[in-house]
Amino acid sequence: MSTVVDFDAPRTNSAEPPVQSLDLLQARWADQVDESADPEFADIYDLPGLDLSEDELTAPVIPVQANEFRCGGCFLVLRQTQRAGSRDGHDVCRDCA
């Protein structure tokens, strides 16, 4: 069974949430947030003053394949099907052309 909705009818504010005090909202938020339940919760945030200079980030570097090119405009490595032509001696993709 379908429901008929009159989109031109004036809206009523009956669904407006009741106004609550800030202290009540903060107490409710504190009850909902429990950092001890998820030990990795704090790991997703960078803390100010945290020294990461000794950490080493490594990623494998894969050279450009035979069916790929590097765009001279956006410097992305794309497939040959995205090549639009050359500009100033550099291959450019369809987006940059």
Side-chain angles (χ1 to χ4, degrees), residues 6-56:
D6 185 10
F7 291 105
D8 295 326
R11 297 183 183 183
T12 60
N13 291 336
S14 62
E16 188 173 312
V19 178
Q20 298 176 354
S21 70
L22 181 60
D23 295 331
L24 180 63
L25 292 174
Q26 287 176 341
R28 208 179 278 168
W29 173 254
D31 291 341
Q32 290 178 356
V33 176
D34 184 16
E35 293 183 15
S36 63
D38 187 9
E40 295 181 5
F41 180 75
D43 293 341
I44 60 174
Y45 297 103
D46 288 333
L47 302 175
L50 183 65
D51 184 23
L52 298 175
S53 61
E54 295 179 11
D55 290 348
E56 182 177 334

